[in-house]
Amino acid sequence: MDGLMPPPARPRPAFTDEELRTLVRPDRVHRSLYTDPGIFDLEMERLFGRAWIFVGHASQVPNPHDYITTRIGREPVIMTRDAKGAIHVLSNRCAHRGVSVCATDSGNTRHFKCPYHGWTYRSDGTLASLPQRRSYPHDRAEIESWMSLARAARVDEYRGFVFASLTEEGPDLETYLNGIRHSIDDLVDRAPDGEVAFVGGCSRYIIRANWKLQIDNGVDLHHATYTHVSTLDDDGRQFSRHGGGPRIMVDGKKSIDWEPFGVVGFPYGHGYQGRPPVETLPSGPVYEEYVRRLEARHGVDRTRQILNYDRFNSVIWPSMTFQAFGQHIRVVRPISVDRTEINVFPVALKGAPEAYNTGAIRSLAATHSAASMIQTDDIEVFERAQAGLQSGAHDWVLFAGHPGSEEPWHEGGWRGQGTSEFVSRIQYAENWISFLCGGNGNERG
Amino acid sequence: MSAADRVYPPSPTLDAVTAFVNRECRLLDERRFDDWRDLFTEDGAYWAPTRHDQKSPEEAVSLFYDDRVTMAARIRRLKHPDVHVQVPESRTVHLVSNIEAEAVPGEPAGVRAYAAFVMAEYRHTEPRWYAGRYEYSLRRSEDGFRIALKKVTLVNCNAPFTSIGVYL
């Protein structure tokens, strides 16, 4: 069966490897990484076409023949569950003339039938029926090899989070995720039943800016002081789902030292922000019931460990960012060099009181929807970055803060000061450049 | 009483609802957000779902779900000099049409109103357009109507949106 291979860059690669290497320095990257369509083409082919990319969560396809449609870079794909319960990531493209075989976001079907000439595929991607079969004199094995839906070369999952890679080469998923799996654990362990589910729909926003601006932001604590200053109350605190957010300003002056909260980075470009100084932790009867259920399952000590709030936003490079405490994940879907779609999924903790999970769904309207009070600040900054980066006055985008000060960290990787920009340095100087030059990431420079 | 029987024909009530809705939208266009918030009951809410058939803000994510407390936070923010998504600020015009009003069985003070709307927004690059339907749960009080719920269902409510900086 044909692999789902990344397309050749269109037009012909605009940059040689040598040229690409001039665009990335240890502490800065050239602005063309954000503005050049030729670079974007190469990213889709060599980064999104090779790295492990988040596709969906197993809970989105709970039953046999359930499916969702999404994309891996530019590749339209269908994630399905077949009759036997196995998950597949298939190309949403008829093997005959290229027509997409599925036009809906999600559903349940035993067969994907092409609307053009009726070629029909099973939920595992194999060819189920071929009208005018006699017009193809090829033998059965040959027909099955090139008339089935193409599939991602590798599909694997970690605690229900399904990733795919469009190439056979490169590290396995466990190696690729390395220490960032602790952030997934931090989310999933919060569920009394030890499982999460994507229910509650999807909030979608568009950034008229390059996809990397969202990823850069995911490991940046410092911006909150400036970008989100309009979200503070009289007391200088940012509102949050559980009340009293971090106290950022006092009397109109920055009052927070972000450094002690730290930022953690891992090989392959993943990372997380340390816990912001939230002083008011959740309370109330719903929360108490939630804690009781965790304790009933795990005991008091383990529950305290699970609820320890030690990290804010995590990034799994290059395709997703998520908040365990905030109970949502965001999928980064590049569309073009200056346009990105972000899909925000609330995450339900199985076994938690229903009101605890619906509270997470409801609060996304205030924090992360396209009309929310926090995300719109970030979107505006990303779009102004895209505008500013058109300028040739400066060629470099700087990630130079706290050079060389990060220390080895017990989860693997390293931990730096809260405003350190070293996680972005790992992303660009060790991974972006590696993938763009045809490697598989983790190139220690 | 069938639904058809509950519909107010051209009547003082429909006229009053129409005037109220027109004014409510004008307050938004004039950025008189505090006055606009005062139109809501103490337990009132403004809601823009992401699904056409969405029953509640807890069933699925919403674009907006502002109770009075969240409204106050949002309005406070809209006055902040560094609310980046409103620098420069949006100019909007709401066009409201197809207004209907009906009685609410068992709620003598309740009136349900329906309208279609288009909102034009201009900020600093290009004009943007939103269209959809409003559904109001109104309560009569001594000094006119109050809004218990304004539900805004955009015709493309399930689409991805660029930033929405002001109420629809």
Side-chain angles (χ1 to χ4, degrees):
Chain A
M1 201 173 302
D2 279 359
L4 174 47
M5 292 301 290
R10 296 170 295 269
R12 281 282 142 206
F15 297 87
T16 64
D17 290 0
E18 290 68 32
E19 286 165 339
L20 287 167
R21 288 190 182 276
T22 66
L23 302 177
V24 177
R25 294 182 185 173
D27 65 349
R28 64 196 65 194
V29 302
H30 194 270
R31 66 186 178 90
S32 58
L33 269 69
Y34 296 82
T35 59
D36 191 304
I39 296 268
F40 182 83
D41 288 337
L42 289 175
E43 286 178 337
M44 293 305 100
E45 177 196 0
R46 297 178 183 177
L47 175 54
F48 283 80
R50 299 177 68 83
W52 285 99
I53 302 298
F54 179 73
V55 180
H57 192 268
S59 64
Q60 293 175 284
V61 289
N63 303 306
H65 312 299
D66 282 347
Y67 68 86
I68 61 163
T69 53
T70 181
R71 288 197 312 274
I72 298 174
R74 282 180 171 141
E75 291 292 334
V77 296
I78 318 172
M79 181 173 91
T80 66
R81 192 180 288 277
D82 70 20
K84 292 174 184 164
I87 287 179
H88 302 265
V89 177
L90 307 167
S91 180
N92 189 1
R93 182 225 192 265
C94 182
H96 181 211
R97 298 277 185 88
V99 174
S100 65
V101 297
C102 182
T104 45
D105 290 340
S106 63
N108 180 284
T109 185
R110 285 170 182 277
H111 294 113
F112 295 99
K113 183 175 181 179
C114 179
Y116 200 6
H117 301 94
W119 289 36
T120 301
Y121 307 89
R122 297 182 191 92
S123 56
D124 64 2
T126 55
L127 190 68
S129 115
L130 179 56
Q132 292 299 118
R133 170 69 178 84
R134 279 167 301 172
S135 69
Y136 297 97
H138 317 72
D139 66 29
R140 184 188 175 88
E142 186 171 1
I143 292 239
E144 286 188 353
S145 76
W146 55 267
M147 294 189 179
S148 295
L149 294 178
R151 60 185 53 242
R154 292 181 295 166
V155 178
D156 200 356
E157 64 180 277
Y158 181 71
R159 302 197 73 172
F161 289 78
V162 179
F163 293 80
S165 165
L166 301 186
T167 174
E168 296 286 358
E169 297 169 32
D172 60 21
L173 180 63
E174 192 182 341
T175 305
Y176 186 78
L177 291 178
N178 67 91
I180 201 65
R181 74 181 189 282
H182 295 296
S183 285
I184 296 180
D185 293 339
D186 180 40
L187 170 58
V188 180
D189 287 347
R190 285 168 188 272
D193 291 352
E195 278 182 46
V196 297
F198 285 21
V199 292
C202 175
S203 195
R204 305 160 77 193
Y205 62 86
I206 291 277
I207 308 166
R208 289 167 292 189
N210 187 266
W211 64 273
K212 294 188 290 300
L213 285 155
Q214 178 75 67
I215 293 289
D216 299 341
N217 178 258
V219 288
D220 183 314
L221 273 177
H222 189 206
H223 77 283
T225 312
Y226 306 99
T227 303
H228 301 303
V229 67
S230 68
T231 63
L232 307 184
D233 64 15
D234 281 332
D235 206 22
R237 290 171 200 280
Q238 195 174 39
F239 70 88
S240 76
R241 175 182 166 205
H242 296 294
R247 194 166 193 210
I248 292 174
M249 306 280 276
V250 172
D251 297 331
K253 292 198 173 66
K254 178 186 161 193
S255 67
I256 192 166
D257 179 5
W258 294 106
E259 306 300 16
F261 307 106
V263 58
V264 172
F266 297 104
Y268 296 103
H270 320 305
Y272 67 83
Q273 304 162 326
R275 167 196 160 163
V278 176
E279 289 163 26
T280 313
L281 287 171
S283 59
V286 173
Y287 185 70
E288 284 159 19
E289 171 61 20
Y290 164 60
V291 174
R292 263 196 300 279
R293 292 189 192 182
L294 269 177
E295 285 174 348
R297 180 67 58 98
H298 297 292
V300 174
D301 291 345
R302 174 70 185 131
T303 296
R304 189 173 302 135
Q305 232 176 18
I306 287 169
L307 293 177
N308 175 37
Y309 178 22
D310 70 345
R311 63 195 71 195
F312 185 52
N313 197 67
S314 295
V315 169
I316 298 183
W317 195 78
S319 63
M320 75 181 274
T321 147
F322 65 106
Q323 294 179 8
F325 189 68
Q327 275 179 254
H328 68 262
I329 73 131
R330 281 181 278 175
V331 182
V332 177
R333 295 172 60 165
I335 295 171
S336 61
V337 70
D338 57 0
R339 198 172 179 88
T340 306
E341 181 179 329
I342 309 292
N343 292 350
V344 190
F345 295 91
V347 174
L349 307 177
K350 286 192 179 178
E354 193 185 350
Y356 195 69
N357 288 326
T358 53
I361 292 172
R362 200 166 135 164
S363 69
L364 282 178
T367 58
H368 288 86
S369 83
S372 65
M373 289 181 268
I374 293 178
Q375 192 61 55
T376 49
D377 287 330
D378 293 311
I379 295 172
E380 187 68 13
V381 166
F382 302 157
E383 294 185 353
R384 283 171 65 171
Q386 195 70 26
L389 289 169
Q390 304 303 314
S391 163
H394 289 286
D395 272 336
W396 299 98
V397 177
L398 294 176
F399 297 102
H402 286 295
S405 64
E406 59 274 13
E407 308 256 343
W409 181 240
H410 68 83
E411 295 170 317
W414 307 266
R415 183 180 187 276
Q417 299 280 295
T419 67
S420 174
E421 293 169 290
F422 87 96
V423 185
S424 297
R425 295 195 286 268
I426 294 176
Q427 289 168 355
Y428 290 103
E430 299 177 22
N431 291 284
W432 189 92
I433 193 63
S434 168
F435 278 104
L436 269 280
C437 292
N440 292 301
N442 199 24
E443 174 185 292
R444 297 255 35 186
Chain B
M1 192 163 69
S2 74
D5 294 333
R6 293 204 302 273
V7 174
Y8 287 109
S11 68
T13 297
L14 182 60
D15 289 347
V17 165
T18 301
F20 178 83
V21 169
N22 287 339
R23 175 178 152 76
E24 186 257 332
C25 290
R26 181 168 56 80
L27 292 177
L28 288 176
D29 289 340
E30 294 177 356
R31 300 179 73 88
R32 291 164 61 186
F33 298 117
D34 289 312
D35 293 339
W36 177 80
R37 177 171 173 266
D38 286 343
L39 298 178
F40 286 78
T41 61
E42 283 310 309
D43 60 350
Y46 172 92
W47 178 33
T50 62
R51 291 178 176 173
H52 290 91
D53 56 352
Q54 196 171 330
K55 298 291 184 294
S56 83
E58 305 194 325
E59 167 193 301
V61 287
S62 300
L63 283 163
F64 290 86
Y65 186 78
D66 284 13
D67 56 16
R68 294 259 312 196
V69 172
T70 309
M71 258 177 223
R74 189 186 296 272
I75 290 167
R76 176 196 166 89
R77 166 175 146 80
L78 284 168
K79 295 175 190 168
H80 195 285
D82 293 326
V83 55
H84 308 300
V85 73
Q86 284 289 280
V87 180
E89 62 190 29
S90 298
R91 299 294 174 185
T92 64
V93 172
H94 289 75
L95 303 174
V96 186
S97 182
N98 305 26
I99 299 179
E100 301 169 84
E102 64 182 31
V104 182
E107 278 186 50
V111 176
R112 184 148 299 138
Y114 305 90
F117 80 98
V118 172
M119 184 182 101
E121 178 193 16
Y122 179 70
R123 229 187 112 213
H124 64 140
T125 49
E126 77 278 36
R128 297 164 71 194
W129 298 86
Y130 301 88
R133 294 203 67 91
Y134 290 151
E135 185 177 335
Y136 296 87
S137 295
L138 302 175
R139 287 190 202 135
R140 291 175 202 272
S141 67
E142 285 177 6
D143 52 347
F145 291 114
R146 286 285 176 274
I147 304 170
L149 179 68
K150 178 180 179 182
K151 182 181 177 186
V152 181
T153 307
L154 290 164
V155 67
N156 56 338
C157 63
N158 53 334
F161 289 94
T162 52
S163 281
I164 303 173
V166 290
Y167 289 107
L168 302 167

